Amino acid sequence: MSGKLLRYPIQITDPGRQDRELGVGDGKQFWRKLKWVSKKGEIADLKSRIMVHTCNISLCMSSIGNSSLARIEISLLQALERQEASQDTTDTAMELAPIARSQTEPAGTSRTKELSEVCEEPAEPKDMGLRRLERAFTGATLVEPPADLTSDLTPPMSDEDVSESGSPPAGMSKAKPIGTGRKRKASTFNVQDDVKAFLPSPTAAEENPEIFPNRPSWKRKASLGRDMPSPKGGKDKLHHDQDGVMDVVADAMNELAEVRQKEQSARPLRIVREDPLHQVDDSLKRRFQQLAEEGLRIRRLSAKDWLRVATWWLLKARSQVPELQSHSSSIASLRTCNGGTSQAYVDLLKSSWILHAIILDENNVSSLMTDENRKLFYNLSDGVNEDLSKYQPPDTSQRQALMNQNTNIWELLQPEEETSDTGYLLPGSDNQRWITVEQDDVGAEDETVLYRTFVNAAIGSKKYRIKSRGAPYMLILSTTDGESQPKITIGNQSGTISLTRDITPDDVQDGLNHGSPSSGDVDVKDGIPLNFGKMNLTVAFVGDGEQQRFMDFPRTYFNAVKRREPRQIERATETLLFNRSVEIFEQLKPATLKPLDPRQQWRSCDLRVLETTCKEGWRTTRRLAISSSAGERRPWCTDIFLPLSNVRISRKGTAREAIIKWSDCTHEQSDRTDGNYNRMYSYIYDENNPNIALRFLFKTSADATDFENTVLKLSNPPIFSSSAGPDSRLVYNMSDTETLPKNYKGILLTQSRLDWKYSDLVYIYRDTDFIHDSTANRVRFPHVYYTDYISSHTEKLYKPDPGTNPHFSHCEKKVGNINVEFDDESTMFKFMSALTTNYDLIFSRPAHSVATKAPRKFGSTKSNKGQAQVQLWQERRNTSSGHNKHNIRLVSRWEGPKVEDKWLSLPIRPGTLQQQSQTKNDHSNRLRFPKGPYARGRKLDMKKLAATDSKKTAGRKGEGSQREGPVTICFESVKDREEFAAAVAVEAGGGKELKKSPFDELMGLT
């Protein structure tokens, strides 16, 4: 028995021992891993179930929260059923059309009636109204919606919906919609009746549809009932029913908007009780009532408009007394006996009276339930009570003196301040964003207000403008995201004037030259004239130092960004080529085009390209000026050297994005010595190694394209331009006014490589050398001039001092070569003609040889100068000049490497080829000119089309070797010879068609 008991522990421990022998570790840990693997699937299943239940609960809560979803769903289902029924009816009618024609009329009528009964629609629901809210004025109270208001918040349901649900919801009642009111009579006019009688503004009706259900934009568009299509005109009926689905969707959107408005109305409104120490007395109430009614005789206001009027007077009070603008806790520190503080106190009473007597009327409380009106109401009530608490309560004598202050509710308008045709007091939506209590809330979301004040202004021409009193205009200094320039805006209380434009340095200079007026009246001599394009006005500040504080903002900004303005340079002129605002400016790594670490990125910057033109045209340079927005606390400006060519630009990103990279003059070079083993340091310009990369995001794609064209082209218009895909070739007229005045040509080639575009600019002078390859449509210039940019630190035995970076110093010339390729011969001819002054290229062909000696009787007549390129140039016809209009010149260039005077030029006299063809019927590829003068030289004068700079006249620069003798041209084919002769005959006006050669007749060529 004991032996059996001893065997059981051994058997139990055997599995664990085997696992340890397998190297899986502790036995318990192994079994835990097995159990985790087996339960892992169950855990994943539980997680998925929890997720599904969570989604179901969220959907249920959303459906419960929005009680109109069920009604909208039912309407959509009914519309879809009607559409399907219409389609089925149309298909059935099309199939039974032959049978229907054979049957009698009553049968078809009964079928249509049956279908109409099946698709009968429910009646349109009646609009539901909101009951008036009750007010309570016991301290800081909350106006809660009454209990029966909950029933009104439920969307209306149709009779069919009620029948399907069994019974209408509790509290559902069919209330009549609120009417638009009766017309106002002058004898019984008051502010409260006017608010009821007049229709609200369009914005108020859209924001409060539950109060104004009869507005056209919030009416149900049409009944959902549709006639079923008949066999005749079934397609039109089907399309009519498809429109019904769209109407249901539009109604659903209106229902959701109404639910949103009703949810806002259900939230309580916090109202602060009027301060009993600063209540408006009866005399001022009657004065305010009378003045408000006078303004309302021709205007009508909504609750939102009244909020803006009350905010206007609160802001004016704060502008007159600086103590009101501070948030200090000093109470009862101001007295109403002072002139300035008394007027500010009256303005606060105006705002308080409008707030409690008009805005908080029980007919307008529901209009305050929107989010925007709530915020404006809270800020206004808090601001009025806070500012009034800083005054000492006035006594009886002081209250009598308050009647002598300005108690007008409406600011006076000048003759040229036109009233809006809509009839509303505040029609301008532009002015609305400026009239806010808090400074941080002023303007749109992308605007930042730097300064806001009230000023006097004389508006319009001298014939109609009137001197204003009391500063009835608001002047705003602001900036806009994506734009760098500060903007100045002036507006009035009624919203009929809202003028905005950019501030320029000239405005700041004019403002500093004018003194600040000492009185409240506008004096044209002391005011600052401002031109807004369509209207001129003169602005005068009323506060002490107000003008100086207003001008400090733009003056500080323009002083910080002074480097972006054109400079006054001796012996040079700088002009502005490009000026745009960019949304994003960022520095990149030139090699990888990745952002720097840390990232160097700025928003709302000003980008300018300025060009410096020297007395010598080839020394022209540019600079890139980038400045911050006026909204920055610390404005900055930087300018970067920009070469005239070899600037790479990429537009591979968005259409508004541009990336450019180029080289400046800071590449270190230290591979030279001074001869005594001392290393010399130079900083050079390397066009093939860009070390500056910038990224710009413009406001529009057109701005990015203008920037690309500015960088890749010259500022002056070209005399020749041709494009082949992304590549282009342009020719410009260039000139030097000093030291040696001369005219020459500039060739700009724009090329593309992968995603980058760049340009090469070279200069060609009058005496030049070129190789014209007519077979490949290519022109090679072996000697052209480039511009090399020299830095301020070259060939010195030391490096620059720490903190001192090398910069561009001046320009020098360097010699190179360039190839220009074309797609067709005509474009190549026009390009070559642009390089001359008075000639056009009309013929160019290669020739086996061009000989300048008479043919020998014995021996070979082949020239040892190699092949040549023969061209014909015709002088441009100008009737005003006395030159021969048939002047044609022959130009030839030998390709032999041992020939120094490669160019030959000679004039072709009229009739030379005609006499030759009459004397000898030669149909070979040779063409002989009789003995005559010709010129030889190493270059070609592109003005006279004459060979120049001959070896024999090296001492006399600009002259060619004048010689005399016959000239024989051996073309590559007979066709080339005939085309040469035809070109001379046609351009010379011979009038006779040359006889065809046997070779042309054989080949069928003309």
Side-chain angles (χ1 to χ4, degrees):
M1 186 66 180
S2 60
K4 293 181 179 180
L5 292 175
L6 291 174
R7 286 197 302 267
Y8 286 111
I10 296 174
Q11 293 176 0
I12 293 175
T13 56
D14 284 340
R17 185 182 298 111
Q18 293 175 1
D19 295 337
R20 286 191 294 270
E21 292 176 357
L22 293 175
V24 295
D26 190 8
K28 294 181 180 181
Q29 183 180 4
F30 175 73
W31 290 112
R32 289 174 181 172
K33 290 182 179 179
L34 291 178
K35 189 174 182 180
W36 169 256
V37 173
S38 62
K39 298 297 183 180
K40 189 175 182 179
E42 298 180 6
I43 294 174
D45 184 50
L46 290 175
K47 287 183 178 180
S48 61
R49 290 183 182 182
I50 293 173
M51 185 181 299
V52 171
H53 287 301
T54 304
C55 295
N56 291 334
I57 292 174
S58 300
L59 292 176
C60 292
M61 295 301 296
S62 300
S63 300
I64 293 173
N66 194 348
S67 59
S68 63
L69 288 179
R71 181 178 179 276
I72 295 173
E73 182 179 2
I74 293 174
S75 301
L76 288 174
L77 290 176
Q78 292 176 354
L80 293 175
E81 290 175 359
R82 288 194 301 271
Q83 184 179 358
E84 294 176 357
S86 302
Q87 187 174 2
D88 296 340
T89 305
T90 304
D91 298 338
T92 305
M94 295 298 292
E95 295 175 357
L96 300 179
I99 303 177
R101 285 194 297 267
S102 62
Q103 294 178 353
T104 58
E105 180 64 22
T109 306
S110 61
R111 175 63 177 170
T112 305
K113 183 177 180 181
E114 180 182 356
L115 292 174
S116 62
E117 292 177 356
V118 173
C119 300
E120 185 177 359
E121 290 189 20
E124 183 177 355
K126 296 182 179 180
D127 295 331
M128 301 297 296
L130 288 175
R131 298 188 178 184
R132 298 180 179 179
L133 302 176
E134 297 180 355
R135 295 184 302 166
F137 291 96
T138 57
T141 62
L142 294 177
V143 178
E144 298 285 354
D148 56 352
L149 183 62
T150 308
S151 60
D152 293 338
L153 295 179
T154 306
M157 299 178 66
S158 62
D159 297 337
E160 184 177 357
D161 297 337
V162 173
S163 62
E164 291 180 359
S165 59
S167 61
M172 174 67 72
S173 62
K174 297 182 179 180
K176 295 182 180 180
I178 298 175
T180 56
R182 57 182 176 82
K183 293 185 178 180
R184 169 181 52 81
K185 295 182 179 180
S187 58
T188 60
F189 187 88
N190 59 73
V191 177
Q192 297 180 359
D193 291 340
D194 179 73
V195 175
K196 302 177 186 177
F198 282 109
L199 289 173
S201 64
T203 56
E206 294 176 0
E207 295 172 355
N208 307 282
E210 73 282 356
I211 305 172
F212 314 107
N214 293 332
R215 294 290 296 178
S217 60
W218 289 94
K219 286 185 177 180
R220 297 182 62 86
K221 292 186 178 179
S223 176
L224 299 178
R226 306 291 183 191
D227 296 334
M228 295 306 298
S230 60
K232 184 182 295 183
K235 293 184 179 181
D236 297 336
K237 291 292 184 179
L238 180 60
H239 180 71
H240 194 59
D241 286 315
Q242 291 176 353
D243 294 339
V245 179
M246 302 303 297
D247 293 340
V248 172
V249 174
D251 293 337
M253 299 301 295
N254 291 342
E255 291 290 342
L256 293 176
E258 291 177 5
V259 170
R260 170 64 176 165
Q261 297 293 336
K262 292 176 181 179
E263 289 177 354
Q264 293 178 356
S265 300
R267 298 200 304 267
L269 180 66
R270 177 178 60 85
I271 300 177
V272 180
R273 189 179 65 175
E274 185 178 6
D275 190 352
L277 298 177
H278 299 281
Q279 289 185 349
V280 183
D281 57 5
D282 296 338
S283 58
L284 274 179
K285 285 183 179 179
R286 289 191 296 270
R287 176 74 64 84
F288 291 158
Q289 182 83 13
Q290 179 183 1
L291 295 174
E293 291 174 357
E294 291 178 357
L296 285 175
R297 293 182 186 277
I298 58 174
R299 304 179 180 94
R300 18 183 195 177
L301 280 77
S302 64
K304 185 176 182 179
D305 295 335
W306 278 115
L307 285 172
R308 291 164 58 188
V309 175
T311 305
W312 177 274
W313 293 113
L314 173 63
L315 296 177
K316 288 203 66 175
R318 291 182 174 180
S319 66
Q320 299 174 37
V321 181
E323 290 82 356
L324 297 178
Q325 301 180 11
S326 62
H327 297 279
S328 60
S329 59
S330 58
I331 301 177
S333 60
L334 299 176
R335 298 180 179 272
T336 58
C337 59
N338 298 331
T341 57
S342 298
Q343 182 59 55
Y345 185 76
V346 173
D347 292 341
L348 289 176
L349 294 181
K350 294 179 190 177
S351 182
S352 177
W353 177 79
I354 294 173
L355 181 66
H356 294 90
I358 298 180
I359 298 177
L360 286 181
D361 181 75
E362 62 181 23
N363 296 322
N364 294 331
V365 170
S366 56
S367 301
L368 299 176
M369 297 305 178
T370 60
D371 293 339
E372 183 180 357
N373 289 348
R374 281 174 183 268
K375 173 181 173 56
L376 190 57
F377 174 79
Y378 293 155
N379 293 339
L380 178 62
S381 60
D382 293 341
V384 170
N385 291 331
E386 181 182 354
D387 292 350
L388 286 175
S389 64
K390 297 179 181 180
Y391 278 90
Q392 293 182 358
D395 53 17
T396 304
S397 61
Q398 292 175 349
R399 288 186 179 274
Q400 294 294 331
L402 295 178
M403 300 296 294
N404 299 328
Q405 301 296 327
N406 179 17
T407 58
N408 292 330
I409 301 297
W410 317 113
E411 299 281 12
L412 299 179
L413 300 179
Q414 298 192 35
E416 295 195 9
E417 296 183 55
E418 299 178 358
T419 306
S420 175
D421 297 335
T422 59
Y424 296 98
L425 173 65
L426 302 175
S429 59
D430 293 340
N431 283 1
Q432 178 180 352
R433 68 183 192 273
W434 307 120
I435 307 175
T436 61
V437 178
E438 300 296 334
Q439 180 83 8
D440 297 337
D441 299 336
V442 184
E445 293 295 333
D446 59 343
E447 292 177 329
T448 302
V449 174
L450 305 177
Y451 196 80
R452 181 177 58 172
T453 187
F454 288 87
V455 296
N456 287 317
I459 298 178
S461 59
K462 296 181 179 180
K463 184 178 180 180
Y464 299 105
R465 61 184 176 186
I466 302 175
K467 294 182 178 182
S468 63
R469 296 177 179 271
Y473 302 96
M474 180 182 289
L475 192 67
I476 303 102
L477 183 65
S478 63
T479 60
T480 304
D481 293 346
E483 300 180 7
S484 61
Q485 289 290 102
K487 296 181 180 296
I488 185 172
T489 303
I490 188 170
N492 58 0
Q493 182 192 32
S494 62
T496 57
I497 288 182
S498 181
L499 305 175
T500 303
R501 73 171 179 87
D502 293 341
I503 299 182
T504 62
D506 295 337
D507 296 331
V508 177
Q509 188 65 27
D510 295 340
L512 293 177
N513 292 336
H514 289 78
S516 178
S518 58
S519 62
D521 298 342
V522 169
D523 191 349
V524 178
K525 296 181 180 180
D526 296 334
I528 301 176
L530 295 176
N531 183 9
F532 286 90
K534 60 182 179 181
M535 183 175 293
N536 297 328
L537 51 90
T538 303
V539 174
F541 295 84
V542 296
D544 295 337
E546 194 74 19
Q547 175 179 340
Q548 187 69 21
R549 287 193 295 269
F550 185 86
M551 288 298 175
D552 280 345
F553 289 94
R555 181 181 60 181
T556 303
Y557 173 72
F558 287 124
N559 289 337
V561 299
K562 189 180 298 183
R563 297 167 62 183
R564 73 182 187 182
E565 300 298 332
R567 301 170 298 181
Q568 300 295 331
I569 307 175
E570 186 179 359
R571 302 174 59 86
T573 304
E574 190 170 46
T575 56
L576 179 64
L577 301 182
F578 179 85
N579 183 13
R580 296 290 190 280
S581 295
V582 294
E583 294 183 358
I584 296 178
F585 156 60
E586 184 177 11
Q587 294 184 10
L588 305 176
K589 298 179 181 178
T592 61
L593 299 180
K594 299 295 182 181
L596 298 178
D597 188 17
R599 195 161 190 169
Q600 302 294 323
Q601 186 182 91
W602 296 268
R603 294 184 177 273
S604 304
C605 298
D606 181 89
L607 175 63
R608 301 190 181 191
V609 179
L610 300 102
E611 184 174 270
T612 304
T613 305
C614 300
K615 300 298 182 180
E616 297 174 293
W618 61 272
R619 296 183 182 271
T620 301
T621 58
R622 292 175 176 175
R623 64 185 181 98
L624 204 67
I626 308 170
S627 57
S628 66
S629 171
E632 295 286 344
R633 293 185 178 180
R634 295 182 178 180
W636 53 267
C637 179
T638 181
D639 58 341
I640 311 173
F641 161 77
L642 190 71
L644 208 58
S645 61
N646 291 296
V647 178
R648 294 166 174 80
I649 184 168
S650 174
R651 300 284 303 279
K652 67 177 180 179
T654 61
R656 300 186 295 119
E657 184 180 10
I659 300 177
I660 61 172
K661 60 179 182 178
W662 72 95
S663 171
D664 60 1
C665 302
T666 59
H667 290 279
E668 183 178 338
Q669 187 181 58
S670 58
D671 55 352
R672 298 180 57 186
T673 61
D674 61 350
N676 295 325
Y677 302 101
N678 295 321
R679 181 175 297 180
M680 300 181 65
Y681 295 94
S682 298
Y683 291 85
I684 64 172
Y685 165 77
D686 188 358
E687 60 187 24
N688 297 319
N689 187 16
N691 59 349
I692 298 176
L694 306 177
R695 183 177 76 92
F696 299 104
L697 183 63
F698 293 88
K699 298 182 63 176
T700 62
S701 58
D703 293 344
T705 302
D706 293 342
F707 177 71
E708 177 184 357
N709 295 332
T710 303
V711 170
L712 295 179
K713 298 179 181 179
L714 301 185
S715 58
N716 54 320
I719 60 175
F720 170 81
S721 176
S722 69
S723 300
D727 301 339
S728 61
R729 293 159 293 274
L730 301 97
V731 179
Y732 297 87
N733 280 327
M734 310 294 293
S735 62
D736 292 348
T737 57
E738 295 179 4
T739 305
L740 298 176
K742 63 181 69 174
N743 297 323
Y744 49 96
K745 305 292 182 179
I747 300 177
L748 184 70
L749 305 180
T750 303
Q751 304 178 19
S752 300
R753 182 177 298 175
L754 299 178
D755 297 326
W756 297 91
K757 288 184 179 180
Y758 63 96
S759 59
D760 289 328
L761 179 62
V762 297
Y763 303 101
I764 298 178
Y765 288 91
R766 185 192 63 181
D767 299 341
T768 186
D769 182 22
F770 62 88
I771 302 173
H772 193 282
D773 190 353
S774 58
T775 58
N777 291 334
R778 179 176 59 202
V779 180
R780 174 176 174 80
F781 296 90
H783 299 285
V784 293
Y785 295 94
Y786 291 85
T787 300
D788 191 14
Y789 304 99
I790 310 302
S791 72
S792 58
H793 191 100
T794 57
E795 297 184 353
K796 295 183 179 181
L797 299 175
Y798 53 89
K799 290 186 176 182
D801 297 334
T804 304
N805 296 324
H807 58 272
F808 166 75
S809 175
H810 61 279
C811 298
E812 293 182 358
K813 289 182 182 178
K814 66 177 181 179
V815 181
N817 59 81
I818 192 173
N819 293 328
V820 185
E821 297 182 354
F822 302 89
D823 293 336
D824 53 82
E825 187 180 58
S826 61
T827 305
M828 182 172 58
F829 280 16
K830 294 178 181 178
F831 171 80
M832 295 302 302
S833 301
L835 300 180
T836 65
T837 305
N838 299 319
Y839 285 87
D840 293 325
L841 180 62
I842 60 175
F843 177 85
S844 179
R845 290 292 185 275
H848 288 306
S849 63
V850 175
T852 57
K853 296 182 179 179
R856 302 177 181 177
K857 294 183 179 180
F858 303 100
S860 175
T861 58
K862 184 177 180 180
S863 174
N864 59 357
K865 298 182 179 64
Q867 294 184 346
Q869 186 75 20
V870 179
Q871 297 178 350
L872 286 178
W873 295 78
Q874 182 195 15
E875 188 177 10
R876 297 191 182 105
R877 300 181 180 181
N878 189 359
T879 56
S880 61
S881 63
H883 297 287
N884 187 359
K885 64 179 180 179
H886 303 309
N887 186 9
I888 300 176
R889 298 190 64 85
L890 182 145
V891 173
S892 174
R893 185 185 187 279
W894 285 285
E895 298 179 0
K898 298 182 179 180
V899 182
E900 295 187 3
D901 293 341
K902 296 179 179 295
W903 287 96
L904 177 143
S905 63
L906 62 90
I908 298 181
R909 297 188 299 272
T912 302
L913 296 181
Q914 293 182 7
Q915 297 175 3
Q916 188 176 7
S917 61
Q918 293 176 0
T919 58
K920 184 176 181 181
N921 189 12
D922 188 2
H923 298 292
S924 66
N925 61 344
R926 293 181 179 275
L927 186 66
R928 298 182 179 88
F929 289 90
K931 183 178 181 181
Y934 64 89
R936 291 278 303 275
R938 291 178 289 188
K939 294 182 180 180
L940 183 67
D941 186 347
M942 298 300 293
K943 182 178 180 180
K944 301 178 182 179
L945 265 298
T948 184
D949 193 18
S950 175
K951 179 183 177 181
K952 296 184 178 181
T953 59
R956 299 186 298 273
K957 187 176 181 181
E959 296 184 6
S961 176
Q962 300 295 327
R963 306 180 186 183
E964 186 174 356
V967 177
T968 303
I969 304 175
C970 181
F971 290 95
E972 292 184 350
S973 64
V974 179
K975 182 176 179 298
D976 293 343
R977 176 192 177 278
E978 295 294 338
E979 290 179 355
F980 180 91
V984 174
V986 171
E987 299 299 336
K992 294 183 180 180
E993 184 180 357
L994 296 179
K995 185 178 179 181
K996 296 181 181 181
S997 65
F999 176 79
D1000 291 339
E1001 294 177 355
L1002 178 64
M1003 301 301 296
L1005 301 176
T1006 57

